[in-house]
Amino acid sequence: MTDLETRATPPGSATLRRAAPALLGYAAVRALGLLALVLWGAARDKSAYTLLTARWDALWYTRVAERGYGYEVRLPNGDVHSDLAFFPLLPWLERLLHAVTPLSYADAGFLVSLLASLAAAWGVFAVADRVYGRRAGVCAVLVWAALPVGIVQSMAYSESLFTALAAWSLYAVLTGRWVTAGALAALAGLTRPVGLAVVAAVWAAGVASLVRDRRAPGGDVRAGRGAGAAAARVAPQVLGMLLAPLGAAGYVLWVGHRTGRGPLGYLHVQAGWRNGFDGGYAFARFVADKFTSFPSALAGAGLIAGVALLLWLYVVCVRRRQPLPLLVYTGTVLALALCASSYFGSKPRLLLPAFPLLLPLAQALAPPRTSRSALVVGCLAAASAVYGAWWLNGSGPP
């Protein structure tokens, strides 16, 4: 459980040609979801494009891209919603695209999300292919595309961008590209607060690798033998580990300076949105309240079943000895999503980057029974398309 042993894959396993079936399948699943959204929106006289680019968090990102930070909304109950809660990488990319193309900020956000979702799908494939083989990689991408909240992958939100950076950072760790892993982790830390999960994965893998090298025969460089070679081998790992936290730490410290509250300034900003980490107490109360009436009790039972499924999948990942960085990353994403006191309707999309949880399902679909796997994925894709269209046409934000 604590090593980086992975399945041997042929050279070029992360090439576009090798990933092409996964990416084509991903595009087909997401196209079905967008078609369902367009048809549902047309029936309700709503613009699907507006739902994807100009509502909820997408508006906050667009405002930051257009005007910079400094906007806040004061609610009657005293809460203060500040745009400082939104990490800067997506608005920076929106601003860059707007500057070099005729696209509006909203259009730029949609294009970034579209390209990032493809990069994320490719990264999910690369990781799954590296660990379990090509068929499992294709299945992992298709299942990730067909998640009930998969429509978020097509929205001008930061989930797709973050998942792309996280997946490729994890792949870089698995293949020993430490500097690349650290740089991508730093960018992930500029995208969402859960960037801490990528940092934790890089650090856990780095420490494990250093300890393993130290304990290996001839690994004690204090004897003066091979000290130069050992230093050359260790230097990229250390550099990658130092780079990894710079993005998240830099933004959090900047917010602290901007608010005048020091290192805890970002926590104060999140508190204004009623976001915090309470170990899951608020979420547990939210679920318990569902059982005070019927039929809301059915929703409560569904939430309990969903959480149980997530925890069971994580246990399966542990028992199947997924590489350490994947386990650390997934565990951190789960903890931050389930134990936060944030808006409960957003928890499903906060779990979207936890793609290693899907690897056991991908393994189950991977054996060469194409018709059965195609039927399962097709049913998942259809259900996801209908649910996504219903979800975005609702009143609350995803």
Side-chain angles (χ1 to χ4, degrees), residues 293-370:
S293 63
F294 187 86
S296 66
L298 297 177
L303 288 171
I304 292 176
V307 172
L309 175 62
L310 292 172
L311 297 178
W312 176 76
L313 285 173
Y314 187 70
V315 170
V316 173
C317 292
V318 173
R319 295 181 64 180
R320 294 189 180 181
R321 300 178 63 86
Q322 275 191 10
L324 176 65
L326 301 189
L327 293 177
V328 171
Y329 168 76
T330 307
T332 307
V333 173
L334 278 175
L336 291 176
L338 297 179
C339 297
S341 58
S342 56
Y343 172 63
F344 303 112
S346 295
K347 287 192 180 294
R349 72 172 174 88
L350 297 180
L351 290 163
L352 193 61
F355 68 89
L357 285 176
L358 304 177
L359 297 188
L361 302 179
Q363 284 183 278
L365 293 171
R369 299 176 184 176
T370 306

Side-chain angles (χ1 to χ4, degrees), residues 85-170:
F86 296 88
F87 277 51
L89 186 57
L90 177 57
W92 286 349
L93 294 176
E94 290 180 353
R95 183 179 299 178
L96 175 62
L97 273 180
H98 174 74
V100 300
T101 69
L103 296 175
S104 68
Y105 291 105
D107 295 339
F110 182 70
L111 180 58
V112 169
S113 179
L114 176 65
L115 298 177
S117 68
L118 291 171
W122 190 359
V124 171
F125 169 81
V127 170
D129 180 25
R130 177 75 183 179
V131 180
Y132 296 119
R134 190 182 188 189
R135 290 183 64 87
V138 173
C139 291
V141 170
L142 295 178
V143 173
W144 186 69
L147 288 174
V149 295
I151 191 65
V152 176
Q153 298 163 12
S154 302
M155 298 180 70
Y157 276 31
S158 60
E159 274 76 12
S160 291
L161 179 60
F162 174 79
T163 305
L165 294 168
W168 283 108
S169 179
L170 292 171

Side-chain angles (χ1 to χ4, degrees), residues 178 182 199 202-207 210 236-246:
W178 294 99
V199 177
V202 172
W203 270 76
V207 170
L210 292 173
Q237 298 179 24
V238 174
L239 180 56
M241 293 170 67
L242 293 176
L243 286 173
L246 294 183

Side-chain angles (χ1 to χ4, degrees), residues 3 73 165 266 282 293 388 390:
D3 58 36
V73 175
L165 294 168
Y266 185 75
S293 63
W390 171 81

Side-chain angles (χ1 to χ4, degrees), residues 59-83:
L59 291 174
W60 287 89
Y61 284 119
T62 298
R63 183 181 289 274
V64 172
E66 183 178 2
R67 305 179 186 180
Y69 285 103
Y71 178 76
E72 62 183 28
V73 175
R74 295 184 177 271
L75 303 183
N77 65 356
D79 290 346
V80 178
H81 290 183
S82 169
D83 58 9

